[in-house]
Structure formats: structure tokens, C-alpha cells
Amino acid sequence: GENVEQHPSTLSVQEGDSAVIKCTYSDSASNYFPWYKQELGKGPQLIIDIRSNVGEKKDQRIAVTLNKTAKHFSLHITETQPEDSAVYFCAARARVSGNTPLVFGKGTRLSVIA
Amino acid sequence: NAGVTQTPKFQVLKTGQSMTLQCAQDMNHNSMYWYRQDPGMGLRLIYYSASEGTTDKGEVPNGYNVSRLNKREFSLRLESAAPSQTSVYFCAAARGTALNEKLFFGSGTQLSVL
């Protein structure tokens, strides 16, 4: 089955700097790669996702890149703000159907220092 | 529109006790999921239900049972709680179609087994 590795496990950046979180996956059939943000005391929320037919996707200060050959994808946050502090999870899914469960990485705790 | 509602929010059990975690969604989504979150382990899938009337095991199903009571409700039962089941439990729902794969999470149940 799919295995997703996520690095680093913790990341501290100064406010205004960029943050990068990287994930690798094992199943070459995976074709859907979302990123979830979990704030303290809440459930995870989807912030951005990418499918295997594109290499990059941006949404304001957040971008995700995908390298299918190397089987890795990354989350990039620019101009970080204190409200970006949270735990971030990457995930991957090999499509069988829209109901096929996601496999999550172990998470990255991002701290943005003001 | 509440989304995904989990009850209770907190629970303390003694080893060997049983209990059921409740989850309900008001989004008319097809698939529902139960995850557990432990420090350093990320989100691990316990069971999922791709549609009403079906359930499947995830990565860590031992010690748990589930019931997809109807399209709205998906419960998780611990028949004989063990300290290893101390965790934060998240229920999630997704429309489960090719273009609607976003997972909506509840706010979690924090369970302690003494």
C-alpha cells in the first residue's frame, strides 16, 4: 500500500520568511495529493491540493509542487504570518474511486515567530 | 450548517469499559471515515465507509468496530478499552466523487483510557 513520508517534523521560521514542507510517496499509481492544516484544538482542514496532471498550483501565499518522477511533493508558504502556525499534513491517494482513503504523512508542526 | 459533529468531545474510560463515539454529518456526503491521531504518528485510518451500507478496515482496525447507521451517521465502538487506545479520534466525511474529494473533519474526541 501507499506510504507517505513527511519532513521536517518541526519547523520554526521568522515572520515574513518562507516555509517549505516536503513529502515523498511510494505508490506510483497515486494521483491526488492534498495538504491539510490543523489548528490547535480543531480538526484538519484542506488548504490546497494537486493532481498528477499538473506540476504546480498556487493559492495566494501557498503553493504546492509535484514531481511525479521522483515521487515527491512540497508545500511552500511565503511571507509567513503568525496565523500560519499549525500542524500541516500531506496526503496521497492512488485512485481506485473517489472514496479510496487518503494516506497521511505524520505531520509538520510549523511555528512562525513574530 | 454544522458539517461534521462528533460526540462526546472528551471521555475518560477505565480499562475494559466499552463506549461508542458518535459522528453525524449534514452535508449528504457519501463516504465517512474514522481516524486516530497520536503524537508523532499523524492521522491513521481506523475504518471507513465508502457508502451507506458498506464498511472497510483501515490501517489500524484492531479493537474497534463501526456501524454506518444511515447516510448521516457513522459510529465507532470500543468493546473493551485498552490504554493503547488513548488518542484523539477524528471523524471525517467526503462527497467521494472524482471532483469532490475534500475531507471535512469533525473537531475530535479526546479519549483517555486509564
Side-chain angles (χ1 to χ4, degrees):
Chain A
E2 178 64 274
N3 182 50
V4 177
E5 299 284 341
Q6 183 172 347
H7 299 281
S9 57
T10 60
L11 179 61
S12 292
V13 298
Q14 291 292 131
E15 182 177 359
D17 287 350
S18 295
V20 181
I21 302 170
K22 298 181 179 181
C23 290
T24 60
Y25 61 98
S26 61
D27 191 340
S28 57
S30 287
N31 57 8
Y32 176 63
F33 308 93
W35 286 87
Y36 283 79
K37 175 184 181 182
Q38 184 181 28
E39 296 177 345
L40 194 62
K42 298 183 178 181
Q45 282 192 306
L46 178 71
I47 55 171
I48 195 167
D49 57 11
I50 191 168
R51 300 178 192 277
S52 58
N53 57 344
V54 298
E56 184 175 4
K57 184 177 179 181
K58 288 184 179 179
D59 183 3
Q60 299 183 328
R61 296 185 297 107
I62 294 173
V64 57
T65 58
L66 171 65
N67 184 327
K68 284 216 73 179
T69 302
K71 290 192 283 187
H72 67 70
F73 57 112
S74 299
L75 177 71
H76 305 254
I77 306 174
T78 59
E79 300 174 21
T80 53
Q81 301 169 5
E83 53 264 38
D84 294 328
S85 295
V87 178
Y88 292 81
F89 293 98
C90 63
R93 174 162 63 207
R95 169 166 297 289
V96 174
S97 72
N99 297 314
T100 307
L102 291 169
V103 176
F104 285 88
K106 293 183 178 181
T108 297
R109 183 175 298 279
L110 173 65
S111 299
V112 179
I113 304 164
Chain B
N1 189 341
V4 178
T5 302
Q6 291 183 235
T7 55
K9 292 190 184 301
F10 302 94
Q11 183 71 48
V12 179
L13 294 177
K14 294 181 180 178
T15 298
Q17 286 185 317
S18 63
M19 80 159 295
T20 300
L21 279 63
Q22 307 287 352
C23 176
Q25 52 104 357
D26 61 4
M27 300 174 289
N28 200 37
H29 282 358
N30 295 314
S31 55
M32 297 185 74
Y33 307 80
W34 276 105
Y35 288 90
R36 60 177 288 174
Q37 183 176 20
D38 303 290
M41 298 299 291
L43 293 160
R44 292 184 293 170
L45 183 66
I46 305 171
Y47 271 94
Y48 69 103
S49 171
S51 60
E52 185 180 355
T54 68
T55 60
D56 286 285
K57 294 179 180 180
E59 180 186 355
V60 288
N62 291 346
Y64 305 95
N65 285 300
V66 290
S67 295
R68 182 75 182 267
L69 304 169
N70 47 54
K71 193 170 186 180
R72 288 188 65 248
E73 298 171 290
F74 188 39
S75 62
L76 179 71
R77 182 160 179 84
L78 288 71
E79 290 291 352
S80 179
S84 60
Q85 294 177 305
T86 293
S87 187
V88 181
Y89 292 85
F90 287 99
C91 177
R95 192 180 300 275
T97 64
L99 297 178
N100 288 281
E101 301 176 272
K102 179 179 178 180
L103 276 177
F104 293 86
F105 283 85
S107 57
T109 295
Q110 189 165 332
L111 176 67
S112 295
V113 183
L114 305 177

